[in-house]
Amino acid sequence: MARHERIFVCQSCGAVYGRWQGKCDACGGWNTVAEENAPRTAPVPGAASAGASQRSKGRPFQLEALQGATAEARRTISGIVEFDRVTGGGFVKGSVLLVGGDPGIGKSTLLIQASAALASSGGRVVYISGEEATAQVRLRAERLGLAGSSVALAAETNVEDIIATLSRGAAPHLVIIDSIQTMWSSLVESAPGTVTQVRACAQSLIRYAKSSGATVILVGHVTKDGAIAGPRVVEHMVDAVISFEGDGAHHFRILRASKNRFGPTDEIGVFEMTGAGLAEVANPSALFIAGRDQHAAGAAIFAGMEGTRPLLMEMQALVAPSALSTPRRAVVGWDSNRLAMVLAVLDAHGRLKFGGYDIYLNVAGGLRIVEPAADLAAAAILISSLTGTMIANDTVICGEVALSGAIRPVGQMAARLKEASKLGFARAIVPAAGLEGAPAGLDLESVSTIGDLVARLARS
Ligand code: TYD
Ligand code: MG
């Protein structure tokens, strides 16, 4: 019975099929389904009832009450403040983090810097590179000025060998596996990078982390073509999923947690890629609004929030007469459905017609806004670009637009306005309610309907 079951697995989401198909029904990906050997230990679907009679009797275990004394999770501070902010105050002992991102975004750079920072404060750190030779990693560390740090280094890809090595002596505080897609386990007969291999390796490493108390960071490349399994196939197994984002045209990178069993998921860490590695950006608002054109219509500063941290961002709109029968609506960094909604409200309650115009909306610096609080700023830049009236460059805007045309209050207004005041802004266009705790130095201009906003911009 050594014959192996053949299965077809989507390399993007891990869905399993009995035969090959061009499109994955589960995630909608095209050409992502590849043939693999079924893992020997996995139960064969449909065989459960047949095997039930042979199943050995289970061992009963003790159930516990939900209430009970549990010590606060012990954490290891990495020493990189922006990283620690995203993890929720350091790496929890015995936890496994997945750091995902596009190839070349700077994952290895970030993690070698974090390793060195932890090692310099006395932590035992092991960095396993499956992609680069030790000489390459060493060269990079030298370029980053970290060559002197006591990080233990290896270029290995076999998970059993890695765990055997790590299990000798005292457990390290932090183990970096760069990347999970290059790892392979000899217990599984699929090629490295396939869903079965990636899952099996992640499982072994998670078991190692739980039993030894070491924090394990798995690096995962986000893949678009599905040729190798994406980090999504292990997302459900790990304790935290952190993505490292940014685009090639900009120097800054954002670290964001999308799942975290030990901390918040709405914090971001901001870094700038420099010639000497990643530098932490302590005041991101200043970075994101720097270098803006202060004498152009169609731009405004939105006072946003990322988690507990206020962040000022520049939003830009271009409204231009269209030659097309269906004018273009292009949105980068914001939700196109919200653009449609704001345009409908401006039309219905502000009597502004955008029908014959192409509209482009952009959030400067490659940022992505998800808050409804940006509605009012979006409405303001659309009006500004359509009518050619400038929004004064000492003004920030924040508020949510309702379908009735009313401007609704937003949360954490005091923090947003304090950030604006700190960065030298003098005025804020805001909803009429929810302004408790606003700093004294800021001139608040409240608008209660979209009609108020139109009138307010027409005046200036
Ligand atoms: P890397 O950390 O290798 O990316 P990943 O591990 O996510 O694939 O980063 C590679 C990019 O970073 C590369 O294009 C060069 C750039 N880089 C710098 O700009 N400055 C530096 O000091 C370093 C080390 C890399
Ligand atoms: Mg790398």
Side-chain angles (χ1 to χ4, degrees):
M1 292 294 283
R3 215 165 61 83
H4 278 285
E5 196 84 19
R6 305 299 289 173
I7 52 170
F8 295 83
V9 185
C10 171
Q11 303 297 305
S12 160
C13 72
V16 180
Y17 299 97
R19 60 184 174 77
W20 188 83
Q21 54 192 68
K23 185 183 177 188
C24 172
D25 296 334
C27 71
W30 285 96
N31 233 352
T32 55
V33 176
E35 187 175 357
E36 287 186 23
N37 286 325
R40 255 178 279 181
T41 48
V44 179
S49 52
S53 54
Q54 300 157 5
R55 213 186 293 154
S56 66
K57 269 202 177 154
R59 175 184 59 84
F61 52 84
Q62 195 68 41
L63 296 171
E64 287 178 41
L66 182 57
Q67 219 173 20
T70 308
E72 175 74 17
R74 284 187 302 151
R75 291 177 183 269
T76 314
I77 308 281
S78 75
I80 295 190
V81 179
E82 296 288 304
F83 202 160
D84 290 333
R85 178 203 300 278
V86 174
T87 53
F91 306 125
V92 173
K93 296 214 156 73
S95 70
V96 179
L97 290 82
L98 175 69
V99 174
D102 291 324
I105 204 78
K107 299 180 294 296
S108 304
T109 309
L110 174 70
L111 292 173
I112 196 82
Q113 285 184 261
S115 305
L118 182 56
S120 72
S121 60
R124 286 187 301 280
V125 186
V126 179
Y127 188 103
I128 310 275
S129 177
E131 303 193 331
E132 294 162 297
T134 43
Q136 271 172 296
V137 180
R138 208 172 279 137
L139 211 65
R140 185 202 306 255
E142 245 163 58
R143 276 217 310 123
L144 298 173
L146 306 170
S149 69
S150 60
V151 176
L153 201 62
E156 270 301 329
T157 54
N158 183 281
V159 170
E160 283 79 35
D161 293 352
I162 291 171
I163 292 175
T165 310
L166 294 175
S167 306
R168 281 189 318 196
H173 295 103
L174 180 65
V175 179
I176 312 249
I177 304 288
D178 187 1
S179 64
I180 186 68
Q181 284 126 338
T182 54
M183 296 295 140
W184 64 282
S185 160
S186 32
L187 303 176
V188 178
E189 282 194 16
S190 303
T194 56
V195 171
T196 319
Q197 273 290 2
V198 166
R199 280 204 183 133
C201 295
Q203 234 142 25
S204 303
L205 289 162
I206 289 167
R207 218 172 303 128
Y208 165 75
K210 304 280 173 235
S211 61
S212 68
T215 301
V216 174
I217 297 185
L218 308 176
V219 174
H221 291 295
V222 172
T223 57
K224 293 199 174 61
D225 56 3
I228 50 172
R232 296 201 57 178
V233 300
V234 293
E235 272 181 8
H236 62 284
M237 299 195 267
V238 298
D239 296 304
V241 178
I242 293 174
S243 56
F244 203 35
E245 307 165 357
D247 62 57
H250 295 99
H251 289 304
F252 52 82
R253 304 276 183 269
I254 294 176
L255 200 61
R256 198 190 287 275
S258 57
K259 160 182 174 180
N260 194 349
R261 287 184 183 149
F262 300 108
T265 52
D266 51 5
E267 293 289 358
I268 62 165
V270 184
F271 295 89
E272 193 176 0
M273 183 60 100
T274 68
L278 289 155
E280 295 179 65
V281 177
N283 186 354
S285 293
L287 176 76
F288 291 128
I289 62 174
R292 67 198 159 109
D293 184 354
Q294 308 209 341
H295 304 284
I301 303 297
F302 162 55
M305 291 295 291
E306 284 285 353
T308 57
R309 168 196 256 188
L311 190 62
L312 303 187
M313 302 172 240
E314 185 188 355
M315 295 179 75
Q316 306 162 344
L318 178 62
V319 177
S322 177
L324 304 169
S325 57
T326 311
R328 282 203 70 165
R329 302 279 187 261
V331 184
V332 179
W334 201 46
D335 182 1
S336 50
N337 287 328
R338 291 207 83 86
L339 172 66
M341 191 200 83
V342 168
L343 288 174
V345 172
L346 282 171
D347 189 329
H349 303 286
R351 298 206 194 79
L352 291 173
K353 302 292 172 212
F354 288 89
Y357 295 91
D358 286 335
I359 297 176
Y360 302 90
L361 195 142
N362 177 41
V363 180
L367 285 171
R368 192 155 45 84
I369 301 178
V370 289
E371 284 188 281
D375 293 351
L376 191 61
I381 57 175
L382 290 168
I383 300 168
S384 164
S385 182
L386 180 73
T387 61
T389 50
M390 270 187 50
I391 296 165
N393 57 30
D394 62 350
T395 307
V396 294
I397 307 181
C398 180
E400 183 178 340
V401 173
L403 286 178
S404 64
I407 309 301
R408 293 170 44 80
V410 300
Q412 292 163 298
M413 196 52 122
R416 298 171 196 262
L417 296 179
K418 272 185 198 134
E419 177 81 354
S421 177
K422 199 171 82 189
L423 284 156
F425 286 83
R427 273 183 291 180
I429 301 181
V430 288
L435 300 174
E436 303 78 30
L442 214 57
D443 188 1
L444 300 180
E445 300 181 20
S446 61
V447 286
S448 47
T449 65
I450 203 84
D452 285 356
L453 179 73
V454 175
R456 155 74 182 74
L457 292 178
R459 254 192 294 123
S460 58

